[in-house]
Amino acid sequence: MAEIVLSKVGKVYPNGQSAVTDLDLTIHDKEFLVLVGPSGCGKSTILRMIAGLEDISTGVLTIGGRVANDLEPKDRDLAMVFQSYALYPHMTVAENIGFPLRLAKVEKVEIDKAVREAARILELGPYLDRKPAQLSGGQRQRVAMGRAIVRKTSVYLLDEPLSNLDAKLRDQTRSEMVDLQLRLGVTTVYVTHDQVEAMTMGHRVAVMKDGYLQQVAEPKVLYSKPVNTFVAAFIGTPAMNFIDADLTDGGLSVCGQSVPTTPKLQAGLRKTSGSGLTLGIRPEHLVLAAIGIPAQVTGVEWLGSDALVRARFEDKGQQKTLVLRCDGETRVKRDDRIHVNFDRGIHVFDEAGNRIEDGN
Ligand code: ADP
């Protein structure tokens, strides 16, 4: 069992910089948990605290039920893979993979066996005698993974391991890593700033901002029920559209159009001050309609099966842009005057940007 529990964990660097505050997060045994957020939100600091490379300022960290705050990194039963793979250029692939075992003074026959097994899992068998310079970026990344695999630890910590790969290779390696993690069943914490990577790889995804955990949930839940406007805007491409909303007798309105509301949402709305409300709606939930918010098309990006339509509209005197995901067959073109409407998939946020529960 390698459950990792962070209870009220905080990190203040010696220069006074607070990097992580009051973090409560449980990473389940065998789970693939992704930490995501913009640069500087504290992701790497969390990973380094779990690894033991950074002191924990406040709170408690347990790994496999053992308090780990003061454990040496080598006693934590984990392996780490960084963005820079740091392979030894003068060593062969086999030597690179086996290096941690050599350091641990494991017998040569055992090392050979472990290296062959890792190479089999990672499909590196034919390359064992090559030097890193003779490998592609993806293969080098797999060698770095191999170094983690041979150690048979119960936790993997991965810090942006795919960011040096080109887009195509990243896609491929992404799915390979997901398969590998599933097969090995090793508890994995994976850091990335890329929300697509987070959403496609994680069993659950933890979204961080300025050192604070915003939400941790399965990708689908993050997408369909973001707890605040930060998560709503961060997850999903193109990003969610936001429009100022007003409280009315019957519910809500935006740009003079009434918004369909459920009794639950109405109850939620009654608990707010009623000012500073925001309606969030994803591009795929906006439709072209005979009536709706008047807008003018400023551009159409054709993506094949669908098209992204950008349209300018007026929101309380301000010019803003809406993005709609339309059918690829759409005839809409630049400068067209359109009406935009929606009937489902709405998100409502209060003045502080927090989601108003809608019971959906
Ligand atoms: P991320 O991985 O999300 O980009 P980091 O965990 O690296 O974020 O950094 C979180 C915050 O802590 C940032 O404001 C960063 O500048 C600061 N920070 C990181 N390392 C140090 C350090 N060694 N000393 C002081 N501040 C640091």
Side-chain angles (χ1 to χ4, degrees), residues 177-205:
M177 283 183 94
V178 169
D179 288 349
L180 185 66
Q181 195 272 345
L182 198 66
R183 265 187 292 150
L184 298 175
V186 176
T187 307
T188 301
V189 188
Y190 186 104
V191 160
T192 180
H193 65 274
D194 179 344
Q195 58 95 18
V196 175
E197 212 165 279
M199 297 290 275
T200 49
M201 296 182 86
H203 298 156
R204 285 188 309 151
V205 177

Side-chain angles (χ1 to χ4, degrees), residues 13-20 37-46 48 54 159-160 191 208 211:
Y13 281 104
N15 67 353
Q17 170 77 45
S18 175
V20 177
S39 178
C41 71
K43 311 178 290 289
S44 302
T45 301
I46 297 168
R48 292 170 60 81
E54 216 47 88
D159 195 351
E160 306 245 4
V191 160
M208 298 289 302

